[in-house]
Amino acid sequence: KFPTPKWHELDGGRYIGTGSIDITVEPDEGWVNLGTYRVMIQNEDTLGFYISPGKQGRIMREKYFARGQSCKVAVSFGQDPLLYLAGGIEVPRGVSEYDWVGGLQGSPVPVIIGEYTGLPIPATAEIVVECEAIAGEEMDEGPFGEWTGYYASSMRPEPIMKVKRLYHRHNPIILGAPPTRPPCEFNYMRCFMRSALIWQQMEAAGIPDIQGVWCHEAGGARLLTIVSIKQRYPGHAKQAGMVAAYCHAGGYLGRYVVVVDDDIDVTNTNDVLWALTTRSNPEIDIETIRRSWSGPLDPIIPKGQKGHSSRAVIDACRPYEWMSDFPPVAESSPEVRRAAEEKWGKILDE
């Protein structure tokens, strides 16, 4: 028996998996996926197997079930923090998080092969279970306090995993990473990683002169993305916003993308709001896109209608066609500030 906290007051059960990784293999191509999905204890040999729509682990599970096959999965509770980090971000499809982490740290991730599943298991893990999921076998799961800051999904039937093998260290430590109302630690690390991935994927899509990307912590690192560009051509800002909203790293459960000029610090909320309120005209600068990728965790979508949501891409840049005539910013230039500091700095420091 392993002590498992009830992380939030209204959780529907005890979640042993919050900082865990689910390990599955792609049935057609054979690459190994690590995904961080919540894992609820159902009983002594049964775990909940909730995965949001569109996630790699869920797509793999659906492929197995569609063929009438069981889905074998290993779940690690407590492992190298880099593996947990990789499991919670959008590592490109077809790239195993094991390889991604190995490249990051400059050495392969040590693994052992699971006796029941044949899956590679982190050799340094604290607790690992090997499980099997069978199509049609479900139990009520949830609710759970999620990264949006809400109990956004009600109790409902979800697939289960039957535990077949259990491995653990002496006195193992369970890694807990329960999300709460943003901003919180759960979101901060994802802000940095998802921002970098969106930037990388925007450049790969051909967007030039990106100056910054920030997935804001108040939006759980997903709901609000700010992109800074140096405008090079008409439509550059709109193009950048659309790609940021729909690239792989930015596609799931987004809400707002705000594109700003290169004089705006994307991590400075006041800077961003100033640009939004003074450089955007709602009538022409806000694009709304319907039927976008969402899921059960979206708090604004009513029960029974979850699945799609809308997005807003906001152009908060100076209008390209009259950018040179846009009112100048009412602040001292760097040259004036430097001259004032040289002349009055000693007095101001006293």
Side-chain angles (χ1 to χ4, degrees):
K1 294 182 179 180
F2 304 110
T4 302
K6 188 174 183 181
W7 298 106
H8 313 100
E9 183 179 359
L10 302 181
D11 284 351
R14 295 184 181 273
Y15 281 79
I16 190 171
T18 56
S20 56
I21 51 173
D22 290 16
I23 305 163
T24 51
V25 65
E26 214 289 328
D28 295 320
E29 301 165 23
W31 54 276
V32 175
N33 183 70
L34 276 60
T36 297
Y37 317 119
R38 71 194 200 199
V39 180
M40 175 181 167
I41 295 177
Q42 295 285 6
N43 56 46
E44 63 183 10
D45 68 348
T46 309
L47 299 172
F49 196 14
Y50 173 80
I51 308 177
S52 292
K55 296 299 183 178
Q56 297 291 357
R58 179 157 174 161
I59 293 172
M60 292 179 184
R61 185 179 71 192
E62 289 172 348
K63 285 185 176 182
Y64 284 111
F65 286 178
R67 299 172 185 185
Q69 299 174 345
S70 64
C71 177
K72 292 182 177 179
V73 54
V75 188
S76 172
F77 307 105
Q79 59 284 314
D80 186 324
L82 276 177
L83 291 175
Y84 164 60
L85 175 65
I89 59 174
E90 289 76 14
V91 172
R93 184 189 179 282
V95 176
S96 174
E97 285 76 7
Y98 279 132
D99 295 335
W100 189 86
V101 169
L104 195 64
Q105 67 186 13
S107 61
V109 176
V111 298
I112 60 173
I113 301 303
E115 179 182 88
Y116 184 82
T117 62
L119 292 167
I121 296 168
T124 58
E126 297 285 323
I127 304 171
V128 172
V129 290
E130 291 190 278
C131 303
E132 187 172 34
I134 297 174
E137 293 189 357
E138 298 181 339
M139 295 178 70
D140 286 343
E141 194 269 356
F144 180 67
E146 274 289 356
W147 59 268
T148 58
Y150 299 93
Y151 299 90
S153 57
S154 59
M155 180 185 293
R156 63 199 182 282
E158 290 288 344
I160 57 171
M161 301 180 280
K162 283 292 186 179
V163 177
K164 302 298 183 180
R165 298 288 189 278
L166 168 65
Y167 312 91
H168 66 88
R169 295 181 178 277
H170 296 301
N171 300 315
I173 299 172
I174 295 174
L175 174 61
T180 57
R181 174 178 170 172
C184 65
E185 184 276 335
F186 179 88
N187 295 321
Y188 276 121
M189 64 176 180
R190 287 169 170 79
C191 293
F192 291 99
M193 297 306 300
R194 188 160 289 115
S195 299
L197 286 170
I198 290 176
W199 191 333
Q200 181 185 49
Q201 291 170 20
M202 289 178 69
E203 287 187 338
I207 306 299
D209 282 299
I210 302 165
Q211 305 300 305
V213 176
W214 183 242
C215 297
H216 203 287
E217 57 272 24
R222 286 193 184 277
L223 294 165
L224 174 60
T225 299
I226 303 103
V227 176
S228 170
I229 62 169
K230 186 174 182 63
Q231 293 188 77
R232 293 298 186 186
Y233 47 85
H236 187 183
K238 187 69 60 66
Q239 181 190 29
M242 290 293 185
V243 173
Y246 287 100
C247 65
H248 178 57
Y252 171 65
L253 222 164
R255 188 84 76 223
Y256 298 98
V257 174
V258 181
V259 185
V260 296
D261 288 305
D262 58 329
D263 64 327
I264 300 299
D265 179 355
V266 294
T267 66
N268 185 318
T269 303
N270 285 332
D271 252 21
V272 173
L273 290 178
W274 176 61
L276 178 66
T277 55
T278 61
R279 300 182 188 180
S280 67
N281 182 347
E283 181 183 9
I284 60 175
D285 290 326
I286 301 178
E287 293 286 347
T288 303
I289 307 99
R290 293 174 173 81
R291 293 184 62 80
S292 298
W293 181 16
S294 182
L297 306 186
D298 195 335
I300 196 61
I301 306 301
K303 184 178 179 180
Q305 300 179 33
K306 293 182 183 289
H308 293 95
S309 65
S310 60
R311 305 283 171 86
V313 175
I314 304 174
D315 180 353
C317 296
R318 298 177 180 90
Y320 181 82
E321 56 272 31
W322 56 285
M323 187 164 47
S324 60
D325 294 326
F326 199 83
V329 176
E331 64 180 2
S332 300
S333 66
E335 294 77 16
V336 170
R337 288 200 300 270
R338 187 163 49 250
E341 289 172 358
E342 290 175 355
K343 184 174 183 179
W344 304 106
K346 291 182 179 180
I347 296 175
L348 295 174
D349 289 339
E350 292 178 355

